[in-house]
Amino acid sequence: MGQVEQVFSHAVNLLIPEQQRLLTLLSEDCDNAPNSCRLALTHYEDLFHPGEQVNFSGSGITVGNDKWIEITGCQMWRIPRWTSDSASLAKVGWQHWEEFIRQQLRSNDTLFLYQGDNPFYQEISRQLLNRRKNLLKALCTGENITAAVNQLIGLGIGLTPSSDDYLVGLSTILFIQGHPLRKYRYDFLAALQLAGNNITLLSKITLEEAFNQRYRERVGRLLNQFITEPQPISTQYVTDIKNIGSSSGCDMLYGMADACALSHRSGGNYVNQDSCKKKGTVANSRW
């Protein structure tokens, strides 16, 4: 027994209370994602309503008194995986990919780059950059990582604040199998356990999934290009992620750019092995 939690134009979140989990119904034009089910529908806002009762069974889902979703014929989507190790990841041109992502982001895309005159957004941007700086330094030194992640979680506005989307993007690269910084994944999970009750359920689940290398199809497509395909790649892969939410995709990309910089500094292609021990700048960003 559950209920309709949130209704958007192209998605509906169904709450499963006993598991404290969400199942997301996606419109047919959305990409696949963890804990989601794509339906042959275009819009949801006039069909579903927050608070409607939801019943789950082995053959389908009943929503309210007038909707039945047959699931026996659904095809299972699995997150694509590729073989990676420290040697193959070291050959990736991380610095190029960092620059490639940053070139696609503008000041109005994410609060991390905010240049407007709204004092509320200015303060959030300042806090985001300060806490991001602390996290990047912690990852370079290997010290106080849990505390730095904990301070960043939940900062921003919306169901998935900018800081949480940033951490999603950061973790999708740092926690790839064979990555030298994957050893810090448990520090991120520990921070989420500490801060999890202070953020939305949707954001908590999204972070937990990302820390365990479960993410949207669009994200996986871009990562696959970074790791397995020669340069260059189409900007459409980045545009697809930018179109996630109002700014969520851009916040994710900002985190991915930082992850590329950290990957370069931590043993990637043409890296200065001592660079993480020194103060420096991440290209086109404030460090």
Side-chain angles (χ1 to χ4, degrees), residues 97-149:
W97 296 127
E98 178 207 354
E99 295 170 353
F100 175 78
I101 293 174
R102 295 198 194 280
Q103 288 170 0
Q104 313 305 313
L105 296 175
R106 301 293 180 264
S107 60
N108 61 339
D109 289 337
T110 168
L111 285 176
F112 283 94
L113 297 173
Y114 185 73
Q115 298 293 323
D117 55 5
N118 184 310
F120 177 65
Y121 289 157
Q122 287 175 349
E123 178 59 21
I124 293 179
S125 179
R126 187 184 70 81
Q127 290 288 337
L128 285 169
L129 290 172
N130 284 341
R131 298 184 193 189
R132 162 189 172 262
K133 177 181 178 182
N134 291 338
L135 175 57
L136 294 178
K137 286 184 176 180
L139 287 168
C140 277
T141 62
E143 300 175 353
N144 302 316
I145 294 172
T146 296
V149 176

Side-chain angles (χ1 to χ4, degrees), residues 17 36 42 58 76 109 149 166 199 208-209 221 239 251 267 284:
S36 300
T42 304
M76 180 71 71
D109 289 337
V149 176
Y166 168 85
I199 58 177
E208 185 178 69
E209 294 293 304
R221 190 183 303 128
T239 300
D251 297 327
N284 300 323

Side-chain angles (χ1 to χ4, degrees), residues 270-282:
Y270 306 116
V271 68
N272 175 352
Q273 297 289 348
D274 296 323
S275 59
C276 260
K277 300 177 183 178
K278 304 174 183 178
K279 288 186 178 181
T281 58
V282 177

